[in-house]
Amino acid sequence: MIENIAPTKANYLKLKESLKLSQTGYNLIDKKRTVLIKELLSQIDKAKEIQVEVGELFSKAYLLLQKANISMGVREIHDIATSIDKAEPFEITYQSIMGLDVPKIKYAHKPLRPHYSLFMTSPEVDEAIYIFRKVKHLIYRLAETENTVYKLSVEIKKNQKRANALEKIKIPEYEETIKYISETLEEKEREEFFRLKKMKKRKEEQKKDPI
């Protein structure tokens, strides 16, 4: 029960309104939490799929590099690797999920331009480079997805905390205090009723037996 609350009609009405707002707030938080959890599970599944694809592509690309090392030599492969651009420009923007900003990575899907003589390289090198470029783009998506999972997890915990505070503390406090005030007001009404009834009876007796 909320302490230091006078059992008055005005406080009773205020608490009823506060209880209504708290219940509405709890319902909204609960709906938001449900949507966020659904989105979180979807993003987790997406991250797992990307992780599997990245793992498979890495295995394939490293196998191709091993073959290229054998056919061309490690030094030649190293020289080709250092001639390739290491990074591509990208931009981080944000999209909203139930008021929560999550990152989106934008990058241009430019055609792969040659950085070396195709005449002097084996097909394994060309394919490995293509796969590693694809892996790089998948890692952009994976970073985006994993960051979204983290942000959703934090937001869900916050919503859970707010929901618990309303469900287990504030709403029961309001309900208990409202019940206390209601019972106190009813008791006062009964006392006032009996007091008025007693006064009326006394007046009637005085009329019958005037002094």
Side-chain angles (χ1 to χ4, degrees), residues 65 68-70 72-82 122 125:
L65 279 182
N69 283 334
I70 294 171
M72 295 180 58
V74 175
R75 181 180 293 276
E76 185 68 24
I77 297 299
H78 179 269
D79 291 341
I80 292 173
T82 55
S122 66
V125 173

Side-chain angles (χ1 to χ4, degrees), residues 89-107:
F90 63 87
E91 177 187 1
I92 298 178
T93 60
Y94 292 89
Q95 70 172 10
S96 178
I97 300 176
M98 296 295 290
L100 175 68
D101 289 334
V102 297
K104 295 292 290 182
I105 299 177
K106 290 185 177 181
Y107 55 90

Side-chain angles (χ1 to χ4, degrees), residues 4-209:
N4 301 322
I5 295 291
T8 63
K9 186 70 174 177
N11 284 337
Y12 175 81
L13 294 173
K14 287 180 182 177
L15 287 170
K16 288 278 284 184
E17 184 63 25
S18 295
L19 175 61
K20 184 179 178 181
L21 288 173
S22 294
Q23 289 170 334
T24 301
Y26 173 79
N27 290 333
L28 290 173
I29 289 172
D30 192 52
K31 288 178 181 178
K32 180 179 179 180
R33 181 177 52 183
T34 300
V35 173
L36 291 175
I37 290 173
K38 185 177 179 181
E39 182 64 27
L40 174 66
L41 295 175
S42 173
Q43 291 292 329
I44 289 173
D45 290 340
K46 182 180 176 181
K48 288 178 179 178
E49 290 176 4
I50 297 173
Q51 287 169 349
V52 169
E53 189 174 358
V54 167
E56 291 173 351
L57 289 174
F58 262 131
S59 298
K60 186 176 180 181
Y62 279 120
L63 182 60
L64 289 167
L65 279 182
Q66 288 176 2
K67 293 179 179 179
N69 283 334
I70 294 171
S71 63
M72 295 180 58
V74 175
R75 181 180 293 276
E76 185 68 24
I77 297 299
H78 179 269
D79 291 341
I80 292 173
T82 55
S83 70
I84 299 173
D85 293 337
K86 300 300 185 296
E88 293 177 347
F90 63 87
E91 177 187 1
I92 298 178
T93 60
Y94 292 89
Q95 70 172 10
S96 178
I97 300 176
M98 296 295 290
L100 175 68
D101 289 334
V102 297
K104 295 292 290 182
I105 299 177
K106 290 185 177 181
Y107 55 90
H109 292 269
K110 295 180 180 179
L112 184 62
R113 62 187 183 90
H115 298 77
Y116 53 88
S117 173
L118 298 177
F119 178 73
M120 299 298 294
T121 59
S122 66
E124 288 84 5
V125 173
D126 303 331
E127 190 174 355
I129 291 172
Y130 173 79
I131 292 174
F132 276 123
R133 188 169 186 263
K134 189 175 181 181
V135 166
K136 180 166 60 177
H137 293 162
L138 283 172
I139 289 174
Y140 287 159
R141 288 176 53 202
L142 183 59
E144 172 187 292
T145 306
E146 289 183 342
N147 195 281
T148 299
V149 167
Y150 171 76
K151 284 181 172 289
L152 286 169
S153 299
V154 171
E155 188 67 16
I156 288 169
K157 286 180 181 178
K158 288 181 182 177
N159 276 266
Q160 184 66 52
K161 198 171 181 180
R162 294 190 194 107
N164 287 342
L166 287 171
E167 182 184 22
K168 301 183 185 302
I169 299 174
K170 297 303 295 182
I171 290 176
E173 278 185 350
Y174 286 137
E175 290 175 338
E176 188 178 353
T177 306
I178 287 169
K179 182 181 178 183
Y180 162 73
I181 293 177
S182 178
E183 291 174 348
T184 302
L185 291 174
E186 286 176 1
E187 182 63 27
K188 285 183 179 179
E189 286 177 0
R190 283 195 293 269
E191 289 177 357
E192 182 66 14
F193 173 76
F194 285 120
R195 188 182 69 81
L196 292 173
K197 189 175 181 182
K198 193 172 183 180
M199 287 179 61
K200 184 179 179 182
K201 186 177 180 182
R202 187 179 299 170
K203 286 180 180 180
E204 289 176 351
E205 288 175 351
Q206 288 177 351
K207 286 180 181 180
K208 290 181 181 179
D209 189 19

